Amino acid sequence: MTPILRTLAPRAAALALIALLAACGPAKKSVFPPAITLQEVTAKPGGVWHVTLRVRNDSYGGMSFGRFQGTLQVAQLGGVLLDANIDQDIPSFAADVTRIDILPTPEMSRALTELAAKGSAGSLPYVIDGRITATPEKEDKPRTFPVHGKDWLSPVPGIPDTYR
């Protein structure tokens, strides 16, 4: 091999490798379904509940959240529809809240009243099922993700008609 080829061959190979890697572009960040839970429920006079939903982004990149549609079931009673326009950008592995007002079923209201009578020692199970629309970072089109959340509601000590 000639001296010129000996010096040009490694350089050409290195340039080819750099060009190949550059063509691959940035790696996409992993996207996972978000999670939704109740952060707080406040029962207001007239039967309306102010519901604070906590939306958690479990992905490696930020997401722009659009609409959430689903149902809330308290204490295995009939559920009510939830429909919230979230309209928020949430960074990776972070959470934010959105608030909506709902009109619960009479059975749900009665269950919450009975829970309040038990004080901070009482709790009620709840389940949220639905779907949420979000656009992951570096994507142009929104995706629809199924969401499912369940936990317990308990009265907040010292704050009447408020549950977390």
Side-chain angles (χ1 to χ4, degrees):
M1 194 181 255
T2 66
I4 294 176
L5 284 177
R6 234 181 283 155
T7 57
L8 288 180
R11 288 183 184 168
L15 286 175
L17 181 62
I18 290 171
L20 181 63
L21 290 175
C24 292
K28 283 194 171 188
K29 295 181 179 182
S30 296
V31 176
F32 298 100
I36 291 197
T37 55
L38 290 180
Q39 181 160 320
E40 186 174 276
V41 174
T42 305
K44 294 294 182 181
V48 174
W49 289 3
H50 293 300
V51 176
T52 303
L53 295 172
R54 185 173 191 269
V55 182
R56 192 177 71 231
N57 179 7
D58 289 333
S59 294
Y60 282 89
M63 294 177 79
S64 295
F65 287 89
R67 182 162 224 84
F68 167 70
Q69 294 177 313
T71 58
L72 169 63
Q73 185 180 24
V74 175
Q76 295 137 1
L77 300 169
V80 295
L81 295 176
L82 299 174
D83 189 1
N85 187 19
I86 298 170
D87 195 28
Q88 292 180 6
D89 294 334
I90 301 177
S92 61
F93 300 110
D96 208 336
V97 297
T98 190
R99 291 171 183 85
I100 60 172
D101 290 342
I102 63 170
L103 189 58
T105 65
E107 294 84 13
M108 289 170 66
S109 293
R110 196 167 23 261
L112 216 59
T113 302
E114 291 170 4
L115 176 61
K118 294 178 184 177
S120 60
S123 61
L124 272 177
Y126 75 85
V127 176
I128 296 176
D129 275 312
R131 62 186 188 277
I132 192 166
T133 304
T135 306
E137 187 178 293
K138 298 184 181 181
E139 291 187 20
D140 297 330
K141 295 184 180 179
R143 295 190 199 182
T144 300
F145 298 93
V147 288
H148 177 79
K150 64 182 194 175
D151 209 338
W152 298 85
L153 282 174
S154 296
V156 177
I159 307 175
D161 301 317
T162 303
Y163 307 85
R164 292 187 186 143

